[in-house]
Amino acid sequence: MGTCAVAMVLVCIYGLHRYYLVYLYYKHARNIPRASKRFKTLPRVTVQLPMYNEKYVARRVIEAACAIDYPRDRLQVQVLDDSTDETTNIANDTVERLRALGHDVVYLHREDRTGFKAGALEAGLKSATGEFVAIFDADFVPDPDSLKQTIHYFTDSKVGMVQARWEHLNRDESLLTKAEAILLDGHFVMEHGARCRSGRFMSFNGTAGVWRRSCIEDAGGWHHDTLTEDLDLSYRAQMKGWRFLFLADLASPAELPPDVQSFKDQQHRWAKGGAQTCRKLLPTILKSRLPRKIKLEAFFHLTSCTVYFYMVVLVLLLFPTLWFHFIHEGPYQSALSWLLEVALFIVATCSVSTFYVCSQRELLRTRRQSYKYLPFLMSLGVGISLNNARAAMEGLFGRDSEFVRTPKFGSDGSGNGWKKRSDYRAKRRIKIQPYIELAIGLYLLWCLALCITVHWVSIGIVFMALFAVGFLYVGINSLLPAGFGRTAGRLSVGAGSTPAQLTD
């Protein structure tokens, strides 16, 4: 039972860290970034639009970028297209049409995808004319006023990057997209808000942000050795002394993965990339002369991907733990066992609830909206723990794996038309992982039935029910015929090669 106890303690420690982020957010509530000056003459900006096989959204993002309200003689748009399908024609035709209308927009196509998204950004930077660089992924729709709302923060010569909050075009499309939206809201509002306001390191999210070009160059440019080169560059830049800002009131809408398998692929890439960045930079950060508060927050930030491993351990050891209690304590737990379960509930589970409820309240959502989806949100978070634990282990131990891009279907939340897309309907290889997730869900149901059968009155029953629902939902929806999504964009990537980007 020692392993289970260690895993439980570690989960509680990271739960306490969530409470701490909420505390930091409200403690520094008045430290909202403000531009103290304004440029007398607006500087030149290059907008980079990296894309790969994005035929459903390519035209939309190029048109939106060219529609940004900024002097045309100081705005360059680069379409960085690595596509191998009809996206090349769509993007090129759109660029030619907009060029004819007087926009400074260029189309750059690479045959060699070295470095994937990071490589495309790096290649585009060589011919970029802007002093500042704004980056938007293909599924984003930049606000026309986005540059005018961000550029003046750079009058402070120490500011290297300004990040906007992600909003979601298809937030209300399904139960899954609603849960995904809340997960991202928590990350942006509470994590970015707390770190930015309290002077700790935060990260660029790969898109919907503006960089000072000299900051990118000073930090060593884009590296290709992690799946999250945005996180990697963010830490390297801030270690050089650059400041990062997060603007919670500036929202940039984008598309959420509408199906479970796409969501899992995205989460796998983020978790593995975070682990790779942890392996690459954390030792250097801890040995540096950075303030202790920055080192501590960097440790929790970069190692947060390991929490999924602890959760899987807790789930797998559930039956042995129950058996131990049955043998040594009988069906009615001791006061100490009750105390431990209540402590776990308050420290681990309630911290998650507090974290996401606070983020929704900060976005001025109703109390009903704040609480309504919490049970499913917690179930989903546990349901993807096996997927993300595997990703974290691959990243920490340098295991090779294939790169799977997140497909975009041009979904705007108006319906499920994306299911008719040929990319979604195309068959793909069935992996063993969904069957394991399904088996774990059934295992948890069996443990739940066992507790009920022997009249095991415990708060743990609530956990078991939520965990079982999460694994069954993720496993079943990964195996449904509609879930056999696509093969496009699948490439072999290893720790020693040049993987792609978190939000590619």
Side-chain angles (χ1 to χ4, degrees), residues 231-232 235-236 277-285 302:
L231 177 63
D232 173 26
Y235 267 87
R236 286 188 282 115
T277 305
C278 174
R279 181 184 179 187
K280 176 182 178 179
L281 296 181
L282 187 58
T284 302
I285 292 171
L302 295 177

Side-chain angles (χ1 to χ4, degrees), residues 171 182 185 356-365 370:
R171 170 189 287 269
I182 295 173
D185 289 344
Y356 290 109
V357 167
C358 287
S359 72
Q360 296 304 291
R361 299 300 293 163
E362 287 299 299
L363 292 175
L364 303 179
R365 307 199 188 280
S370 300

Side-chain angles (χ1 to χ4, degrees), residues 230-279:
D230 49 2
L231 177 63
D232 173 26
L233 180 59
S234 296
Y235 267 87
R236 286 188 282 115
Q238 289 169 105
M239 289 170 68
K240 287 277 190 175
W242 293 97
R243 286 184 58 209
F244 280 22
L245 301 179
F246 169 61
L247 307 183
D249 293 333
L250 177 59
S252 186
E255 178 183 335
L256 293 163
D259 68 302
V260 168
Q261 189 56 51
S262 296
F263 174 62
K264 287 170 64 179
D265 290 343
Q266 184 186 68
Q267 288 290 313
H268 182 278
R269 191 167 65 252
W270 291 357
K272 181 170 181 177
Q276 290 172 327
T277 305
C278 174
R279 181 184 179 187

